Amino acid sequence: MRNRWNEWRDWLRRLGSADLFRRAHWRLTALYSGIFTLFLALFIMIAAALFYWIATSDQERRISRLAEQEANTIEQVLLKQSNFDLFDDENVILLSEDQLFFYVIGPDGSLLAGDEVHPRLRPYFLNALSHLKANERAPVYMSVSLPEHMPGLAREAARDWRVLAAARPLVIHGDFVGMLYIGMDVTSFFGVFHWLLIVLIGLAVLFLAVGVALSFFMSKRALAPIEEAYERQRQFVADASHELRTPLSVVFSSVEALSLEEDVMKNDFARRLLDRLRDELKRITKLMNDLLTLARADAKHAALELSKQTFDFRPHAERTFQLMSELAAKKQITMHFHAPEQAIVTADPDKLTQLLYILLDNAIKYTPEGGEVTLSIRTEPKHVFLSVKDTGIGIPSEDIGRIFDRFYRVDKARSRQQGGHGLGLSIAKWIVDAHGGAIHVHSQIGEGTEFLVRLPC
């Protein structure tokens, strides 16, 4: 059971870390399927409602017409009698072909006359009719509950019969002599309507499955040309970044060689110019390396190209921390390091070191002079946690959801001043995702930011 759960968890993790186009493909499939489902649901609702309205309207017209006819007939019979309170046996009115019962109830609530298809059901019909309003003239659907397996019925006693009832007052020479109630058995209609709904829902499920399949293939075809263009662009960026590294290295070497010339360094203008060139070359080189990393990250099976090893991450973290401490010292930022004696992890050492460098560089960059940056490593049986916390300017809550987007910078003016391109956190997110981990951000304006990374051991 545990192995199966691990398999499901790994599948969900791979699905969650799918590439951009795979996620877009599923979103489009969900969108198209949702639209198709909406129209299908509306069609079923309209079709069922239309069928129900047509059928019930016809039944209500029939029973209303039948009630009027029988009320007129009974009134004609009573007009021929001297005593309106009596119904002679010879004048008993027979039930029509599709009629379930008829009853005439006097003003005092007593039964004056009546007949039904099943005489044993009279108490149940009268009990159901007693709940109708006295002035109810519109046809009413009501349920009649019967005991199970009642003997004497042509069919097995239904637990609940659905009856359509109509009432008409009987008035002779202006005197109210009673109320006529007639009923029709519509149980079979509701049974047919129930099965119709089941059939419609079954067809809806079938068409929905077809719709999801069509949505899947339609969205895949729609994304194919975009994905092809994106792949060409990615390849171009990778090639361009790779080709630019060589001439940049040559230019950087030339600047370094000129800085060794005493005659050149004696000239203040030349020295300032070389320092500026050196800084800009470092920025461009870093940008090229970041673009090359992202281009490789976009490639298919990028996560499979990681060189994973099981190693102690503490020495790597200490070296990176010491390197970044020299940068922090220039801004008078206090650095803190907390880690256990060993932090065993299965990962790509270079990529994990790059992740730590990005997070520490980001923390130092946006922490003012005199602030603090803390690197903490914590181990658990199945995970290693990395925390980089600073006392910097913080990140607005509305921007936290976008800080991992490429080229996105919260404060563009400050980012340009600090030399940022908005690629570091995108690379950090890819490294974490490629290792099957997760990264979370907690930040508050003016108080600082904490990046918390969880990686499997």
Side-chain angles (χ1 to χ4, degrees):
M1 184 68 180
R2 182 179 296 274
N3 292 334
R4 182 171 296 275
W5 166 249
N6 291 335
E7 291 176 2
W8 275 102
R9 185 179 61 184
D10 293 340
W11 181 82
L12 290 173
R13 182 181 295 164
R14 289 195 299 271
L15 182 62
S17 59
D19 62 282
L20 175 65
F21 285 100
R22 188 176 180 181
R23 292 196 300 270
H25 183 200
W26 284 109
R27 282 198 294 267
L28 282 176
T29 300
L31 176 62
Y32 293 156
S33 301
I35 295 174
F36 184 78
T37 303
L38 177 61
F39 280 103
L40 193 60
L42 288 175
F43 170 77
I44 292 176
M45 292 173 60
I46 293 173
L50 188 61
F51 173 81
Y52 183 84
W53 178 77
I54 292 175
T56 55
S57 296
D58 180 66
Q59 291 175 347
E60 291 172 6
R61 283 195 301 269
R62 287 168 55 199
I63 198 169
S64 296
R65 186 170 58 250
L66 186 60
E68 294 291 343
Q69 292 175 354
E70 293 199 4
N72 292 333
T73 302
I74 293 176
E75 289 176 354
Q76 293 297 324
V77 171
L78 292 176
L79 285 173
K80 297 177 182 180
Q81 297 181 175
S82 60
N83 188 351
F84 296 158
D85 295 331
L86 299 176
F87 287 81
D88 298 333
D89 292 338
E90 60 182 350
N91 293 324
V92 172
I93 302 173
L94 299 177
L95 294 174
S96 64
E97 181 180 356
D98 54 355
Q99 190 173 342
L100 187 63
F101 63 79
F102 90 89
Y103 300 113
V104 178
I105 298 178
D108 58 353
S110 61
L111 180 64
L112 302 180
D115 194 9
E116 58 276 306
V117 175
H118 303 290
R120 300 171 62 89
L121 300 182
R122 174 174 292 187
Y124 304 102
F125 291 148
L126 292 176
N127 179 63
L129 291 173
S130 65
H131 295 89
L132 296 183
K133 295 179 181 179
N135 57 350
E136 184 71 53
R137 293 183 60 88
V140 176
Y141 290 94
M142 60 184 188
S143 295
V144 179
S145 298
L146 305 176
E148 296 186 7
H149 308 295
M150 188 174 182
L153 295 183
R155 59 175 176 175
E156 269 191 40
R159 270 67 64 191
D160 290 297
W161 278 15
R162 298 301 299 272
V163 176
L164 177 60
R168 289 294 183 274
L170 300 177
V171 180
I172 305 298
H173 299 308
D175 296 325
F176 175 73
V177 298
M179 182 70 74
L180 169 67
Y181 293 96
I182 67 172
M184 294 172 55
D185 183 8
V186 291
T187 306
S188 58
F189 162 74
F190 281 94
V192 171
F193 184 73
H194 173 75
W195 282 107
L196 175 65
L197 287 179
I198 293 178
V199 171
L200 287 176
I201 293 174
L203 290 175
V205 172
L206 176 62
F207 283 119
L208 181 60
V210 175
V212 171
L214 289 175
S215 301
F216 182 84
F217 289 110
M218 287 173 60
S219 58
K220 189 173 184 179
R221 289 191 62 182
L223 285 174
I226 303 176
E227 187 173 0
E228 183 180 352
Y230 183 83
E231 179 62 24
R232 288 198 300 266
Q233 180 184 6
R234 185 201 66 79
Q235 191 61 45
F236 170 77
V237 172
D239 294 340
S241 301
H242 182 75
E243 294 298 328
L244 284 173
R245 293 175 68 183
T246 300
L248 284 175
S249 299
V250 173
V251 174
F252 187 78
S253 300
S254 300
V255 171
E256 290 294 327
L258 287 174
S259 64
L260 297 176
E261 295 291 332
E262 294 183 4
D263 294 339
V264 175
M265 297 306 294
K266 289 179 181 179
N267 189 316
D268 291 339
F269 175 75
R271 186 173 64 253
R272 290 196 302 271
L273 186 61
L274 287 176
D275 290 341
R276 186 178 300 175
L277 283 173
R278 185 185 295 108
D279 293 339
E280 292 301 321
L281 284 171
K282 288 180 179 179
R283 287 183 59 200
I284 296 176
T285 302
K286 183 178 182 302
L287 175 60
M288 291 298 103
N289 290 334
D290 289 347
L291 288 174
L292 185 59
T293 300
L294 288 175
R296 289 172 177 170
D298 289 336
K300 295 180 179 179
H301 311 297
L304 300 178
E305 298 177 3
L306 297 177
S307 178
K308 290 188 176 182
Q309 305 173 22
T310 300
F311 64 99
D312 183 7
F313 182 59
R314 180 186 171 104
H316 297 263
E318 287 180 335
R319 286 195 297 270
T320 305
F321 179 82
Q322 187 61 37
L323 177 64
M324 300 306 296
S325 295
E326 298 175 2
L327 178 62
K330 297 179 181 179
K331 297 181 63 176
Q332 300 178 352
I333 294 175
T334 304
M335 300 285 288
H336 304 281
F337 180 64
H338 306 289
E341 291 298 325
Q342 282 188 331
I344 305 300
V345 63
T346 301
D348 187 319
D350 294 335
K351 290 293 184 287
L352 216 56
T353 302
Q354 184 182 8
L355 166 67
L356 196 56
Y357 175 85
I358 291 172
L359 295 180
L360 287 172
D361 179 66
N362 198 69
I364 295 171
K365 185 183 299 180
Y366 294 104
T367 298
E369 293 184 1
E372 296 182 359
V373 173
T374 302
L375 169 61
S376 302
I377 301 176
R378 180 168 56 90
T379 60
E380 289 186 359
K382 294 185 178 181
H383 294 94
V384 172
F385 294 89
L386 309 177
S387 171
V388 177
K389 187 174 183 180
D390 62 61
T391 58
I393 60 176
I395 304 172
S397 58
E398 63 270 15
D399 293 311
I400 288 181
R402 299 193 58 191
I403 59 174
F404 295 109
D405 295 347
R406 299 178 185 182
F407 299 104
Y408 183 78
R409 292 171 291 189
V410 176
D411 188 343
K412 296 179 175 56
R414 189 181 182 93
S415 298
R416 293 192 188 98
Q417 183 181 359
Q418 299 291 343
H421 299 92
L423 294 176
L425 291 179
S426 299
I427 296 174
K429 182 70 164 57
W430 169 75
I431 293 174
V432 173
D433 289 343
H435 284 85
I439 182 170
H440 302 282
V441 186
H442 304 284
S443 184
Q444 193 166 354
I445 295 295
E447 296 187 10
T449 302
E450 180 182 12
F451 285 87
L452 183 63
V453 178
R454 186 189 76 243
L455 296 171
C457 293

